[in-house]
């Protein structure tokens, strides 16, 4: 999408790269970091956490978003994601979570070398399901 990147976006992307260091991924060894930008320009980070019975494993994106919501936050506008592979895109479940909680969210897919791609969540989850809350 056509988007002019701001200084705060660059900071958000750097925080996602840094957050990846906190990943607990003993099973896949694939680390992911995420950082969300809140309505008050606060940055909240998350990293993936893996559990050996698999289903409790939690993605970086959801850890960041749920940390924010469970602290009482409700509005975030942007999310940056950095995985161990170049161009690590959010999984389908995380796309649904992002869309449902921030239907206009801007998504930055960031690489270790700070290169990035920008999307609107609607591009990543076309015709997504959502109740009008
Ligand atoms: N993972 C994320 O944290 N975010 C994604 O969007 C893709 C996958 C994690 C889950 C698991 O710990 C590891 O990456 C390998 O799938």
């Amino acid at each position: 999408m056509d988007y002019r990147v701001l200084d705060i976006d660059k900071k958000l992307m750097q925080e996602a790269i840094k957050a990846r260091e906190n990943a607990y991924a003993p099973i896949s060894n694939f680390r992911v970091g995420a950082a969300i930008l809140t309505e008050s320009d606060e940055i909240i980070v998350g990293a993936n956490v893996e559990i050996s019975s698999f289903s409790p494993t939690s993605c970086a994106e959801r850890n960041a978003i749920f940390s924010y919501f469970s602290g009482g936050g409700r509005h975030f506008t942007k999310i940056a994601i950095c995985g161990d592979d170049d161009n690590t895109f959010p999984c389908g479940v995380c796309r649904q979570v992002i869309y449902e909680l921030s239907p206009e969210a801007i998504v930055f897919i960031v690489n270790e070398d700070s290169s990035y791609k920008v999307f609107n969540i609607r591009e990543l989850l076309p015709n997504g399901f959502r109740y009008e809350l």
Side-chain angles (χ1 to χ4, degrees):
M1 71 179 280
D2 209 23
Y3 180 82
R4 188 150 174 242
V5 169
L6 308 171
D7 284 348
I8 188 84
D9 300 334
K10 290 184 186 156
K11 178 148 193 278
L12 189 70
M13 291 191 246
Q14 289 311 308
E15 290 296 325
I17 293 171
K18 233 197 303 169
R20 193 181 53 153
E21 303 297 326
N22 294 332
Y24 176 72
I27 300 163
S28 71
N29 273 319
F30 189 85
R31 302 167 306 159
V32 184
I36 60 173
L37 187 69
T38 74
E39 58 184 345
S40 51
D41 276 357
E42 223 190 324
I43 291 175
I44 312 282
V45 297
N48 56 326
V49 175
E50 293 182 345
I51 299 299
S52 53
S53 55
F54 297 146
S55 64
T57 290
S58 194
C59 291
E61 298 89 325
R62 273 176 281 159
N63 286 341
I65 293 167
F66 292 161
S67 167
Y68 174 55
F69 270 69
S70 56
R74 289 294 179 266
H75 300 286
F76 69 98
T77 52
K78 298 172 182 175
I79 179 165
I81 302 159
C82 178
D84 273 341
D85 281 347
D86 270 358
N87 302 322
T88 297
F89 280 75
C91 76
V93 173
C94 288
R95 291 178 200 213
Q96 175 68 28
V97 170
I98 295 165
Y99 176 69
E100 184 151 344
L101 299 179
S102 181
E104 303 299 337
I106 302 288
V107 181
F108 300 101
I109 306 298
V110 194
N111 299 323
E112 199 169 14
D113 65 1
S114 299
S115 61
Y116 59 86
K117 293 179 174 15
V118 191
F119 301 88
N120 182 289
I121 187 60
R122 290 178 193 269
E123 294 175 83
L124 299 181
L125 188 69
N127 307 114
F129 175 76
R130 180 174 189 270
Y131 287 118
E132 284 314 318
L133 303 173

